[in-house]
């Protein structure tokens, strides 16, 4: 093995470590912030923000142009505030525990009350706390009616300068989501708040979530049909062998057509009573392109990396063993692409060189099924 080959192998091993580490850290970039207390996530998606609780509820800002964010959190709550139009419009959303509401002084808060009564008391507090600018006597006449259902409600108020709406939702787990919309008189704060807090069933996905980046692990099994290179002296007849295939990898899915992924492939064939046996291992990095974004998404892809193979059909170890550049092309489809668990079915062709930049290769056709999550 020449010096160039050794340098290349060292580079690929370092790259493997770095990229696998990056894949694990990707979900913790500043674009996504997870609250330890309430387990709320605030994710920026194509210039907009999606807010997701651990319950069957997704909250997304309804309009574009939100350019700033402020964050506050303590042991029992988390508040995030967004601004638009140079700060003229703001939307704040908080996840709050019942304990936090009691310490905030919601009048006569009683855990035994039905949710609708708790919401009423919360909105009454908002009305009491609403203060118009000095000299504005019209504020009392501009408090809208309280709108309530079994688990949500809102009230809107206005003075001579601004509109303010407070929306309250009691979640299935008994926590609270409270949103405050403040906008100038020429903006319909109630409509903006209603669209922002649109409830979506857990089985459905908004466009925001379909285009959110996901980092997935992938485990699969399958079958390989591999072959070795022909040589008049060492191997006059090319041999084809069936083998068990085990796949482990990861996918960084950007939600649209493109995804980055890496895979580790292990194949093994015990031969004929442990004669003419072989094994192979490959670690590769690359990309895939989805044909379209749907429940079932076909894809094609290509990868490059490092491969090793041992084939006991040969007599000399130098002929039996190969470690060098490897690459593959693959195609398949992902079923339930936007679900928590995906099923992937695929086929690929890969090859690893026995020498460096020559035409002697070990190749394989692979067929597999995997679970991504």
């Amino acid at each position: 093995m020449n010096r160039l080959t050794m340098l290349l192998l060292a580079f690929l091993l370092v790259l493997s470590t770095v990229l696998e580490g990056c894949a694990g850290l990707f979900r913790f970039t500043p674009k996504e912030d997870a609250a330890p207390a309430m387990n709320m996530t605030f994710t920026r998606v194509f210039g907009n923000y999606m807010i997701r609780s651990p319950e069957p509820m997704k909250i997304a800002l309804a309009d574009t142009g939100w350019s700033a964010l402020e964050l506050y959190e303590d042991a029992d709550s988390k508040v995030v505030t967004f601004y638009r139009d140079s700060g003229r419009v703001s939307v704040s959303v908080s996840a709050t525990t019942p304990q936090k509401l009691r310490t905030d002084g919601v009048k006569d808060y009683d855990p035994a009350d039905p949710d609708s009564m708790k919401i009423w008391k919360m909105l009454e507090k908002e009305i009491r706390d609403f203060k118009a600018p000095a000299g504005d006597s019209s504020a009392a006449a501009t408090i809208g009616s309280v709108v309530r259902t079994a688990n949500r409600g809102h009230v809107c108020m206005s003075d001579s300068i601004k509109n303010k709406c407070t929306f309250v939702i009691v979640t299935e787990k008994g926590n609270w989501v409270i949103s405050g919309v403040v906008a100038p008189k020429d903006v319909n704060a109630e409509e903006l708040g209603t669209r922002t807090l649109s409830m979506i069933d857990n089985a459905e996905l908004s466009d925001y979530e379909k285009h959110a980046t996901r980092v997935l692990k992938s485990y699969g099994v399958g079958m390989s049909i591999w072959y070795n290179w022909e040589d008049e002296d060492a191997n006059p007849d090319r041999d084809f062998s069936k083998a068990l295939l085990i796949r482990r990898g990861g996918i960084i899915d950007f939600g649209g057509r493109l995804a980055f992924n890496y895979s580790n492939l292990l194949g093994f064939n015990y031969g004929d009573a442990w004669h003419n046996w072989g094994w192979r291992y490959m670690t590769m990095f690359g990309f895939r392109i989805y044909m379209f974004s749907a429940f079932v998404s076909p894809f094609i892809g290509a990868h490059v990396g490092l491969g090793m193979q041992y084939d006991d059909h040969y007599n000399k170890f130098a002929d039996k063993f190969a470690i060098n550049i490897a690459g593959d092309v693959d195609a398949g489809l992902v079923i339930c692409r936007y679900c928590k668990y995906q099923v992937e079915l695929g086929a690929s062709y890969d090859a690893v060189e026995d020498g460096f930049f020559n035409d002697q290769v070990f190749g394989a056709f692979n067929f597999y099924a995997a679970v991504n999550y």
Side-chain angles (χ1 to χ4, degrees), residues 31-308:
K31 289 187 177 180
E32 181 170 314
D33 185 17
M38 295 301 300
N39 197 26
M40 295 281 288
T41 56
F42 299 82
T43 307
R44 185 165 185 166
V45 185
F46 294 130
N48 298 310
Y49 288 88
M50 180 180 69
I51 304 167
R52 183 172 62 248
S53 80
E55 301 164 56
M57 173 186 199
K58 303 173 185 72
I59 309 166
L61 290 175
D63 300 290
T64 60
W66 302 94
S67 58
L69 169 136
E70 292 180 356
L71 182 66
Y72 166 81
E73 63 181 311
D74 58 26
D76 293 305
S77 65
K78 182 168 185 176
V79 183
V80 62
T81 303
F82 310 97
Y83 296 94
R84 193 186 72 184
D85 300 338
S86 301
R88 294 173 67 244
V89 181
S90 68
V91 174
S92 64
V93 182
S94 65
T96 307
T97 62
Q99 292 80 2
K100 179 68 173 178
L101 288 180
R102 288 196 289 271
T103 60
D104 282 351
V106 176
K107 185 178 180 181
D108 300 326
Y109 181 90
D110 185 350
D113 286 341
D115 291 340
S116 58
M117 181 58 69
K118 296 174 185 175
I119 292 170
W120 174 264
K121 292 178 179 179
M122 182 67 195
L123 296 179
E124 277 190 326
K125 179 179 182 298
E126 289 295 307
I127 294 172
R128 291 195 307 270
D129 292 345
F130 180 70
K131 293 181 175 60
D136 187 347
S137 60
S138 63
T142 57
I143 297 176
S145 60
V146 176
V147 179
R148 285 189 300 158
T149 60
N151 69 330
R152 64 161 49 203
H154 73 270
V155 64
C156 293
M157 301 154 282
S158 65
D159 54 37
S160 59
I161 299 175
K162 65 181 182 300
N163 298 313
K164 179 183 179 182
C165 293
T166 299
F167 293 79
V168 180
I169 298 172
V170 180
T171 69
E172 291 183 358
K173 295 184 179 180
N175 294 314
W176 292 66
V177 174
I178 303 169
S179 178
V181 181
V182 178
K185 296 286 286 186
D186 60 341
V187 175
N188 190 329
E190 183 175 12
E191 179 185 356
L192 175 59
T194 300
R195 286 185 291 145
T196 299
L197 295 175
S198 58
M199 292 288 285
I200 303 173
D201 185 80
N202 194 37
E204 299 179 6
L205 285 171
S206 66
D207 289 337
Y208 293 93
E209 211 166 13
K210 284 185 177 181
H211 292 92
T213 298
R214 299 176 63 193
V215 179
L216 305 166
K217 297 178 182 178
S218 181
Y219 294 92
V221 295
M223 181 186 73
S224 294
I225 301 175
W226 72 48
Y227 64 88
N228 49 30
W229 51 276
E230 290 185 57
D231 183 88
E232 292 182 1
D233 298 322
N235 191 53
D237 297 319
R238 174 172 290 178
D239 300 295
F240 289 84
S241 302
K242 291 183 292 184
L244 172 68
L245 174 69
I246 301 175
R247 290 175 55 94
R248 173 187 172 275
I251 304 168
I252 302 176
D253 187 349
F254 296 100
R257 298 292 182 89
L258 178 64
F260 293 148
N261 65 311
Y262 69 93
S263 59
N264 300 316
L265 310 180
L266 175 63
F268 187 81
N269 178 5
Y270 59 83
D272 181 12
W274 296 102
H275 178 64
N276 295 333
W277 63 283
W279 60 266
R280 64 201 316 262
Y281 177 82
M282 309 181 81
T283 180
M284 294 183 292
F285 301 86
F287 66 93
R288 60 175 53 174
I289 298 175
Y290 292 97
M291 298 295 100
F292 42 82
S293 300
F295 181 84
V296 178
S297 296
F299 66 85
I300 57 174
H303 310 82
V304 65
L306 175 69
M308 294 179 285

